[in-house]
Amino acid sequence: MHYVCVVKMVKNYLARISDEKLSLLLQAKGAVLIEGPKWCGKTSSAAELAQSVLYMQDPDTSKAHILTAKTKPSLLLEGKTPRLLDEWQVAPELWNAVRFAVDRRRLNGQFILTGSVIPTRTDDMHTGTGRIARMKMRTMSLFESRDSSGDISLGKLFDGDISMESKSDISIEQYAFLINRGGWPAVAQEKNERIALAVANDYLEAVANEDISKADGIKKNPDRVKGLLRSLARNISKESKISTILSDLTENGEALSQVTVTQYINALKKIFVIEDLPAWNAKLRSKTAIRTAAKRHFADPSIATAALRATPKKLMSDFETFGLLFESLCIRDLRVYAESIDGSVYHYRDKSGLEIDAIIQLADGRWSAIEIKMGAGEIEEASANLLKLKKTVDTEKMENPSFLMVLTATEYAFQMENGVWAVPLGCLKN
């Protein structure tokens, strides 16, 4: 049977880059699981394609739905397809029921599941392989929130298009605001600072007081959670080990044990608050050792500003913190853009001290290297680092980079004489 996605336009819905991927996955699989942080827009995006919806967290029906899931979950799957099962993990029994229904119906595009918590797997839970496709959704990139012009395309750069040029209208002051506002759909185009900043602050409170404890069923002290979030924020965009976090907590009067810190960090990962940036494993000409530690990042940089109470005005008076948070903003956007072209984002650092902020590697092996610098005065040094990496990589075992880029907070996007691109974040898209 031919499957056609029916799109329903929701008032004020801002299209997401991931919408196309969701549509394609529904045409290829019986069900699709969308995972990602709370409030990132999973439900709204899924509802654009869904023909019926089951809200598992609706207080009017939640208890009845949970009881039904325990006794006869198939009843909850009845409805027009694609059927959206929102926050399905509230009733884990739905997973196997969906898998069985997909097998029985033998049709694609039957279900969309959304979840903001990775549930604890039980022995009887099927993997879902072959039946349920997975995709991650993130908070909005600047292109999705209509802040970036999108004149410079990562996909086109990978394809060798060097004809692009652009100018960004985003000022340094506006970047400080955008970092604080974050990519939350509820305030994606909000200009009022007080309203825009409220969402990230509310998110942090929800994480500390409720969500982190629900992640693993272990009650946690909200003040200690906030202390850990502050420490992680102080170490954002850095390769900080648990021992570094412990030391930072002690120095700031927020001492926690190693066991507690590890437990809390694992719980934060389960609810998609933390998403560290892994190291890139390149093939080098020399035997220089590559560092393998991940860099600390949140799902959205506004979580860090909320934890630090770092308003846009405060960032403008602390450019060291501003720079680290700008890097995290860039990593968020690069992840959104890269995943839409079947790529992943990493960072690079070797024993010689050479460090590259972002490496994008596509599934077909093509790759690019990106340095992140706010000011124009840093572009020349950053481009030299990129060219040094290019010479370090063994091109007999790996391809040459598709492009090299310095991602900035400046105005103009152009290709320099040495071949390296200088691109403002406010010009970039997938």
Side-chain angles (χ1 to χ4, degrees):
M1 180 179 291
H2 180 66
Y3 173 77
V4 178
C5 286
V6 180
V7 179
K8 300 180 298 178
M9 298 306 295
V10 176
K11 186 178 180 181
N12 298 326
Y13 177 75
L14 290 177
R16 306 296 294 273
I17 290 174
S18 58
D19 289 346
E20 182 179 359
K21 182 176 182 179
L22 174 59
S23 180
L24 290 172
L25 288 175
L26 281 170
Q27 295 177 64
K29 297 290 182 180
V32 180
L33 168 63
I34 309 174
E35 296 180 304
K38 186 177 179 180
W39 303 352
C40 75
K42 298 182 299 297
T43 303
S44 296
S45 185
E48 285 289 286
L49 294 176
Q51 294 298 309
S52 64
V53 184
L54 175 72
Y55 294 107
M56 288 304 299
Q57 290 189 326
D58 183 341
D60 290 340
T61 57
S62 180
K63 289 184 178 179
H65 287 161
I66 292 172
L67 180 60
T68 303
K70 291 180 181 297
T71 53
K72 194 172 183 180
S74 61
L75 292 175
L76 299 177
L77 306 187
E78 295 177 2
K80 291 183 178 181
T81 60
R83 181 160 174 76
L84 168 58
L85 309 179
D86 188 48
E87 298 296 344
W88 72 274
Q89 76 283 345
V90 172
E93 295 83 2
L94 288 173
W95 182 265
N96 283 350
V98 166
R99 190 269 304 173
F100 182 76
V102 168
D103 280 349
R104 183 170 56 84
R105 297 180 187 183
R106 297 184 180 181
L107 295 171
N108 292 335
Q110 295 300 293
F111 304 101
I112 307 172
L113 296 82
T114 65
S116 52
V117 180
I118 299 176
T120 301
R121 294 195 63 84
T122 58
D123 292 338
D124 63 341
M125 282 185 71
H126 193 276
T127 62
T129 303
R131 287 90 161 180
I132 306 174
R134 294 172 180 264
M135 62 173 280
K136 180 171 284 186
M137 193 167 185
R138 306 178 187 281
T139 56
M140 281 183 158
S141 64
L142 293 188
F143 178 64
E144 291 172 299
S145 61
R146 311 300 189 263
D147 294 293
S148 170
S149 67
D151 292 331
I152 308 297
S153 161
L154 279 182
K156 288 184 178 181
L157 286 173
F158 270 109
D159 290 338
D161 187 343
I162 59 172
S163 65
M164 297 175 287
E165 58 183 28
S166 185
K167 179 180 181 293
S168 172
D169 295 324
I170 303 178
S171 66
I172 290 294
E173 290 81 5
Q174 287 174 307
Y175 277 117
F177 169 75
L178 292 171
I179 288 170
N180 276 263
R181 186 199 67 190
W184 310 104
V187 287
Q189 296 184 305
E190 179 60 59
K191 305 302 180 185
N192 182 294
E193 182 175 310
R194 187 174 179 181
I195 296 173
L197 271 55
V199 171
N201 291 329
D202 290 346
Y203 178 86
L204 184 136
E205 289 295 326
V207 167
N209 290 288
E210 299 176 17
D211 298 343
I212 191 172
S213 295
K214 292 178 181 178
D216 54 13
I218 301 173
K219 182 66 177 176
K220 297 171 182 63
N221 184 306
D223 291 333
R224 289 184 174 183
V225 174
K226 291 178 185 177
L228 175 59
L229 289 170
R230 282 192 293 271
S231 180
L232 291 170
R234 287 190 290 265
N235 285 278
I236 200 166
S237 302
K238 299 177 183 178
E239 299 172 61
S240 301
K241 299 178 181 179
I242 294 292
S243 58
T244 304
I245 300 298
L246 287 168
S247 177
D248 178 77
L249 285 165
T250 301
E251 289 176 8
N252 287 276
E254 300 167 333
L256 294 174
S257 70
Q258 182 171 341
V259 172
T260 300
V261 168
T262 301
Q263 181 190 75
Y264 282 22
I265 286 178
N266 288 339
L268 290 169
K269 288 180 178 179
K270 288 189 70 174
I271 55 175
F272 305 100
V273 175
I274 293 173
E275 187 177 6
D276 293 338
L277 187 66
W280 187 50
N281 185 19
K283 294 179 176 63
L284 308 181
R285 295 180 189 275
S286 67
K287 294 184 179 180
T288 302
I290 298 175
R291 303 297 191 187
T292 59
K295 276 191 176 183
R296 298 287 178 186
H297 285 282
F298 288 104
D300 192 276
S302 65
I303 303 172
T305 58
L308 296 171
R309 294 290 186 236
T311 63
K313 184 177 180 180
K314 286 182 179 178
L315 288 186
M316 292 300 298
S317 63
D318 181 359
F319 266 77
E320 181 179 357
T321 301
F322 193 172
L324 294 170
L325 288 166
F326 178 74
E327 180 177 334
S328 194
L329 176 71
C330 292
I331 294 299
R332 181 203 66 188
D333 282 15
L334 288 174
R335 279 171 159 161
V336 173
Y337 303 150
E339 287 185 358
S340 73
I341 55 176
D342 207 12
S344 299
V345 184
Y346 306 88
H347 78 94
Y348 175 88
R349 186 165 75 93
D350 62 34
K351 195 174 182 180
S352 73
L354 179 60
E355 182 175 356
I356 303 297
D357 295 319
I359 303 290
I360 299 177
Q361 185 157 30
L362 304 188
D364 61 12
R366 287 180 293 166
W367 64 280
S368 67
I370 300 172
E371 278 277 70
I372 299 170
K373 303 295 179 186
M374 289 185 65
E378 302 173 283
I379 292 177
E380 186 175 347
E381 181 182 353
S383 65
N385 276 347
L386 293 166
L387 292 169
K388 185 177 180 180
L389 174 68
K390 181 180 178 180
K391 292 179 180 179
T392 303
V393 171
D394 188 346
T395 53
E396 291 185 0
K397 298 180 179 178
M398 294 182 63
E399 296 182 21
N400 275 308
S402 297
F403 63 90
L404 303 173
M405 178 191 292
V406 183
L407 195 54
T408 74
T410 57
E411 288 184 273
Y412 296 98
F414 58 96
Q415 189 176 29
M416 297 183 283
E417 290 184 0
N418 61 9
V420 178
W421 282 81
V423 177
L425 182 62
C427 295
L428 200 63
K429 71 172 182 179
N430 59 319

